[in-house]
Amino acid sequence: MIAVIPFVHKVLEPCSQSKVYKPPNPWVMGIMALLAEIYSLDKLKLNLKFEIEMLFKDLELSINDVTPSGILKNKEREVGPDNPDFSADKAAKVQAAAASQAPGSSKSLTGGGVEPEVKVTSSVDGTVGLAVSAGAGAG
């Protein structure tokens, strides 16, 4: 999303002067509803929120006036230090740091020198999941 949302902003910006694509065009409003849903996601990075706000301003719309779509409602998203779209919480950072320790230091944690793979997932409704599995070389 770090690249897509600014791209969508630049593509839809001229719609404010268009006779056909100016809101309330259903195609544009569908995209704006999805952007309103993305805007309301937990831990979305501020630069993405700002880009969405600027698009709404350019199209002379208010985020509060557009009903967010339900497309992402039950979709899981991966959060963690490697995800550029969402800010990871402190617990996820600790888990990721534990998973990325040097192979020599993980022997005492796993008993066999196998680094665990840690995956933190989060859904839009706020549910957080943590999966720990044996890493590469196990088995």
Side-chain angles (χ1 to χ4, degrees):
M1 286 193 300
I2 200 102
V4 173
I5 291 178
F7 175 75
V8 169
H9 180 191
K10 289 297 180 187
V11 169
L12 293 182
E13 194 174 19
C15 290
S16 63
Q17 290 109 22
S18 172
K19 290 182 182 180
V20 176
Y21 291 106
K22 187 174 185 173
N25 177 286
W27 180 78
V28 172
M29 293 310 290
I31 294 172
M32 298 309 290
L34 178 61
L35 289 173
E37 183 178 8
I38 292 170
Y39 184 84
S40 67
L41 293 177
D42 290 344
K43 300 176 185 157
L44 185 67
K45 292 237 176 146
L46 289 177
N47 58 337
L48 296 175
K49 283 192 176 219
F50 177 73
E51 196 74 38
I52 293 171
E53 288 174 2
M54 292 306 297
L55 177 58
F56 273 86
K57 181 182 174 203
D58 291 343
L59 294 178
E60 299 173 0
L61 294 171
S62 172
I63 293 176
N64 298 327
D65 295 339
V66 177
T67 305
S69 68
I71 295 172
L72 303 175
K73 186 176 182 181
N74 295 321
K75 303 287 184 192
E76 287 190 15
R77 59 184 160 95
E78 193 171 324
V79 287
D82 296 332
N83 190 335
D85 302 324
F86 297 97
S87 300
D89 59 354
K90 291 180 182 177
K93 288 180 183 178
V94 169
Q95 293 295 334
S100 65
Q101 284 183 340
S105 63
S106 65
K107 288 183 182 179
S108 62
L109 295 174
T110 60
V114 178
E115 292 186 34
E117 292 181 12
V118 179
K119 183 176 182 183
V120 180
T121 58
S122 173
S123 63
V124 176
D125 64 357
T127 314
V128 176
L130 177 65
V132 181
S133 60

